[in-house]
Amino acid sequence: IPIARLDLPWWRARHEAVLHRLKQNPPELIFLGDSITQDWELRGPQPWRDFQPAWNRFYGDRNAANLGFIGDTTASLLWRIENGEVAAISPRVAVVLIGANNLGRLHWSADDTLAGIAAILTELHRRLPHTKLLLIGILPSERSAWATQTTLTVNRALAERYKPGGEVTFLDVGHVFMKGGQLDRTMFLDPLLPTPQDPLHPTAAAQEKLAEAIEPTLSALLGDRNKVTRR
């Protein structure tokens, strides 16, 4: 079920700004998601909050648009898709990374989260029939044992549902954030905040590693040059 967040002034303003920007400059590549995606817009001042160099390296010359909204669940992303954010555009690829907030304070089940992701992909395919869809698995975090297990459950189910060669390309890049079988806390910015929080959001350096992990697949879908092979 689509759920708007129009009661939040910043969310309404960002949605309206996105609609205007997409109308002015239809993108070739879009990123749909929550705060992890929106973080690509952060510019420091600390190095671990400066995402611009990595964004420019991978996406600066690809006419990419950031459609990440802090705090969005699958339901809110679905609402945005159904209310103009993919209207009148036809990007070559849409990258989807969503679901982390379903497993936060809302505690939505794996089944509900899977249903939300499936609804998003179905709606994207219906509205953007010529756009290739790249779905990224929910990233690992350290919020609770339940969130960790539900993340694994959701990603396993997505891998089973969206097999290679289908309409959706699925990538689970959780291994990027692991070290010795454990979550690598140094790859997350949350513990570095003035009020430290549980690891959830990648640092700028970690997000660059995420971009490197998806780059071979993304470049193949876009039909352009793999940027991991050069700097």
Side-chain angles (χ1 to χ4, degrees), residues 106-122:
L106 294 174
H107 261 61
W108 287 354
S109 69
D111 286 345
D112 286 342
T113 299
L114 287 164
I117 293 172
I120 286 167
L121 296 172
T122 297

Side-chain angles (χ1 to χ4, degrees), residues 15 46 87 89 117 120 141 148 161 196:
H15 173 63
Q46 306 92 333
I89 63 173
I117 293 172
I120 286 167
S141 63
T148 296
R161 180 175 298 180

Side-chain angles (χ1 to χ4, degrees), residues 36-189:
I36 295 172
T37 296
Q38 187 173 341
D39 279 354
W40 278 117
E41 298 175 3
L42 295 178
R43 297 174 177 267
Q46 306 92 333
W48 48 269
R49 292 187 80 250
D50 187 7
F51 289 73
Q52 285 300 293
W55 174 271
N56 290 336
R57 174 190 169 195
F58 285 99
Y59 313 122
D61 61 354
R62 282 172 161 168
N63 190 17
N66 186 328
L67 308 187
F69 281 56
I70 294 171
D72 267 12
T73 62
T74 51
S76 296
L77 175 53
L78 182 61
W79 187 92
R80 291 195 283 119
I81 290 168
E82 293 185 354
N83 285 270
E85 290 195 12
V86 299
I89 63 173
S90 185
R92 285 187 285 168
V93 177
V95 180
V96 181
L97 173 56
I98 196 69
N101 291 311
N102 291 35
L103 314 183
R105 62 179 180 82
L106 294 174
H107 261 61
W108 287 354
S109 69
D111 286 345
D112 286 342
T113 299
L114 287 164
I117 293 172
I120 286 167
L121 296 172
T122 297
E123 198 63 24
L124 284 173
H125 184 66
R126 186 176 76 83
R127 293 170 183 265
L128 302 174
H130 304 296
T131 299
K132 297 173 183 176
L133 305 180
L134 175 56
L135 174 65
I136 309 301
I138 299 175
L139 303 186
S141 63
E142 194 176 273
R143 293 176 285 175
S144 68
W146 176 86
T148 296
Q149 182 55 52
T150 306
T151 297
L152 294 172
T153 299
V154 169
N155 287 342
R156 281 196 295 263
L158 292 174
E160 181 64 27
R161 180 175 298 180
Y162 302 109
K163 294 183 179 297
E167 293 179 346
V168 175
T169 300
F170 174 71
L171 286 180
D172 184 352
V173 296
H175 63 279
V176 171
F177 302 91
M178 309 298 288
K179 185 177 182 180
Q182 301 293 323
L183 189 75
D184 186 353
R185 293 175 59 92
T186 67
M187 299 190 72
F188 296 87
L189 61 80

